[in-house]
Amino acid sequence: MKNHAQNLSFWMQSLPANMLEFPQPILQSEYDVAIVGAGFSGLWLAYYLKQAQPEWKIAIFEAKHIGYGASGRNGGWLSTNIPIVIGNLLKNPRWAKQDVVHLQRQIIDTIAEVANVCEREQIDCDLHQGGLMFIATSDAQASRLQDYHAEELAHGFLPHEIQWLGADAAKQHINIDIMQAATHYQYGARIHPAKLVLGLARKVIALGVDIFENTPVQNLSTHTVYLSHQAVKGQHIIACTEGYTDQLLQDGKVIPVNSSIIMTQVLPASFWERVGWQNNELLGDMAHVYMYAQKTADYRILFGGRGAPYQYGSRDAGDGELDHVTTAQLLQRLRELFPRQDFQVDTAWKGSLGVTRDWNASVTFDDKTGLGFIYGFGGNGVAPTHLAARTMTDRILGKHTALTTLPWNDYVCPTWEGEPWRWLGIQSMYQLLGLADQVENRLQLKKSVFFANTAYQICGLE
Ligand SMILES: Cc1cc2nc3c(=O)[nH]c(=O)nc-3n(C[C@H](O)[C@H](O)[C@H](O)COP(=O)(O)OP(=O)(O)OC[C@H]3O[C@@H](n4cnc5c(N)ncnc54)[C@H](O)[C@@H]3O)c2cc1C
């Protein structure tokens, strides 16, 4: 069966066409809630609003198809990573360390919450709670891993939730020759993102939500959504457009930054016998230009990270076509970890993250105008979009809950510089980070090379 998804990810392309077919509803002139974007944020928001207010009329307007954006093409890490840079948040006197801890604990609980909803709603998305491993493959990476471990314990994790593993213990989990140390997180789940986003959409439609595909929103104003030929009224209007937000709002708050992925072909039993990886842990490293990986339910490796990160003028990743150079770089790093295997790439693609100037996410809602925004998850949105949607649900319903005190509520991000400074800043950051990895490896440094911090500072990651 031919697949008609525009999104070129393995996830979307490998599903049968009938999983991508949804009824086109009849447009009404007025809704209680109009949501822009059918990714995780928009769909979870519709799901939780319908649970709370079953009689509300809710519409989602999607420019392309359900899961076209990052939600249908990500690394499938349902992880405890928080979408904020702690140092940046704490520069604002409104927030303190306890707010970071609060956010971290809520994200940890979200892993089980997503698993519970999937079970309750019978959404089969290959979810497997095998935890997460961050590995170090050089002395400098091991030193960063130690610092990161200490930071995680200071900001919400309990000692038994993250285990420090020496090389031998780490290899019992995943046999990577060059691994020097690892941390093993109790929480974290692998998912098939397209199955989750499409399964969730089906559930939301069954609850009575109207999803309009191929329906781009041209503009928003108080209580009005402008489609190409028509204006629709909405008591509440919420943009869940992540890396595409600036095309709609044009306020320079969120820009699209690419992340790239390769998917191997199915790997033979002999590989898995050698490598182990029996708990299907999510796998990441401590390189400056880091990688992220998962073992899929059908015994492939998804391997993501490096790649042309930013396109001049904040162009988004389009349908996801990936250049050969980036594909080859990802394959090379995968081969460094597992040198005895001759990997073949099945599919390669890229997608747009939504990145704010200080890499902090925001859930903003104005109860006077009914306008709201959810954005800025960077590379850590699979679990946080769920929590953000529940936060926004409480805000729309006027409730004061533990979620409405999270530090992303009404968080005002700084504005990005215009071009060419934006392009120059991001390009130079990635060049410096790549160089930092090379220097650390060649010189076998014990600690991070001195100029790595400059790179993080240029783009607001420090
Ligand atoms: C390659 C890649 C790998 C990633 N890996 C991970 C990971 O492993 N773990 C993790 O936690 N996070 C990961 N992320 C981030 C995560 O996928 C996102 O944070 C999350 O999916 C964002 O969901 P969203 O619904 O907010 O945005 P999106 O999924 O991007 O959805 C936004 C939707 O809005 C639509 N839209 C935009 N403008 C308009 C308009 N004007 N009118 C109508 N519709 C519009 C778009 O077409 C899109 O479908 C990754 C992201 C990428 C790109």
Side-chain angles (χ1 to χ4, degrees), residues 36-43 61-79 81 197 215-218 240-245 247-248 257-261 292 349-354 374-375 377-385:
V36 190
F40 290 142
S41 299
L43 291 165
F61 299 104
E62 165 55 51
K64 304 275 182 160
H65 59 75
I66 293 162
Y68 173 79
S71 301
R73 53 175 107 178
N74 60 63
W77 273 38
L78 181 66
S79 84
N81 289 353
V197 77
T215 308
V217 168
Q218 312 288 340
C240 298
T241 43
E242 191 56 347
Y244 309 87
T245 303
Q247 294 170 17
L248 182 64
V257 172
N258 294 336
S259 190
S260 306
I261 293 180
Y292 51 91
W349 70 95
K350 67 175 185 264
S352 295
L353 315 171
I374 298 179
Y375 57 57
F377 299 102
N380 299 313
V382 174
T385 46

Side-chain angles (χ1 to χ4, degrees), residues 197-428:
V197 77
L198 297 170
L200 180 59
R202 223 162 274 291
K203 179 66 206 171
V204 159
I205 290 169
L207 290 171
V209 173
D210 290 345
I211 304 184
F212 298 89
E213 296 186 287
N214 301 308
T215 308
V217 168
Q218 312 288 340
N219 207 345
L220 302 175
S221 69
T222 310
H223 303 311
T224 311
V225 165
Y226 298 91
L227 309 177
S228 53
H229 298 297
Q230 200 171 341
V232 177
K233 294 280 172 208
Q235 195 57 32
H236 308 91
I237 296 173
I238 314 294
C240 298
T241 43
E242 191 56 347
Y244 309 87
T245 303
D246 206 41
Q247 294 170 17
L248 182 64
L249 304 182
Q250 302 193 339
D251 59 0
K253 293 288 185 189
V254 201
I255 61 166
V257 172
N258 294 336
S259 190
S260 306
I261 293 180
I262 55 172
M263 183 71 88
T264 68
Q265 292 188 336
V266 174
L267 295 162
S270 56
F271 171 80
W272 296 110
E273 274 157 29
R274 226 170 36 238
V275 165
W277 209 339
Q278 284 174 358
N279 289 332
N280 306 315
E281 292 94 343
L282 303 170
L283 174 69
D285 72 2
M286 295 304 289
H288 295 293
V289 185
Y290 57 81
M291 67 82 181
Y292 51 91
Q294 69 147 284
K295 174 183 162 193
T296 65
D298 64 347
Y299 297 95
R300 302 166 190 266
I301 295 179
L302 170 146
F303 198 84
R306 292 162 198 257
Y310 177 73
Q311 292 163 260
Y312 192 87
S314 292
R315 276 186 294 125
D316 65 60
D319 293 343
E321 197 170 331
L322 189 63
D323 61 276
H324 295 303
V325 174
T326 305
T327 304
Q329 281 171 348
L330 287 166
L331 188 57
Q332 186 192 335
R333 179 64 180 149
L334 176 61
R335 285 180 174 149
E336 282 164 17
L337 297 183
F338 304 104
R340 290 168 64 192
Q341 187 62 33
D342 178 24
F343 294 104
Q344 303 297 321
V345 174
D346 180 303
T347 317
W349 70 95
K350 67 175 185 264
S352 295
L353 315 171
V355 174
T356 61
R357 185 65 182 88
D358 59 4
W359 298 73
N360 286 358
S362 181
V363 177
T364 297
F365 180 68
D366 180 344
D367 54 6
K368 293 190 186 64
T369 61
L371 274 174
F373 310 95
I374 298 179
Y375 57 57
F377 299 102
N380 299 313
V382 174
T385 46
H386 181 270
L387 183 63
R390 285 187 285 136
T391 307
M392 183 61 91
T393 301
D394 288 350
R395 297 289 305 275
I396 291 173
L397 299 177
K399 291 184 178 171
H400 297 282
T401 65
L403 304 192
T404 59
T405 64
L406 286 168
W408 55 24
N409 279 285
D410 298 329
Y411 186 83
V412 181
C413 313
T415 306
W416 279 96
E417 294 80 356
E419 301 289 17
W421 309 114
R422 191 183 289 183
W423 183 86
L424 281 169
I426 299 172
Q427 289 307 113
S428 50

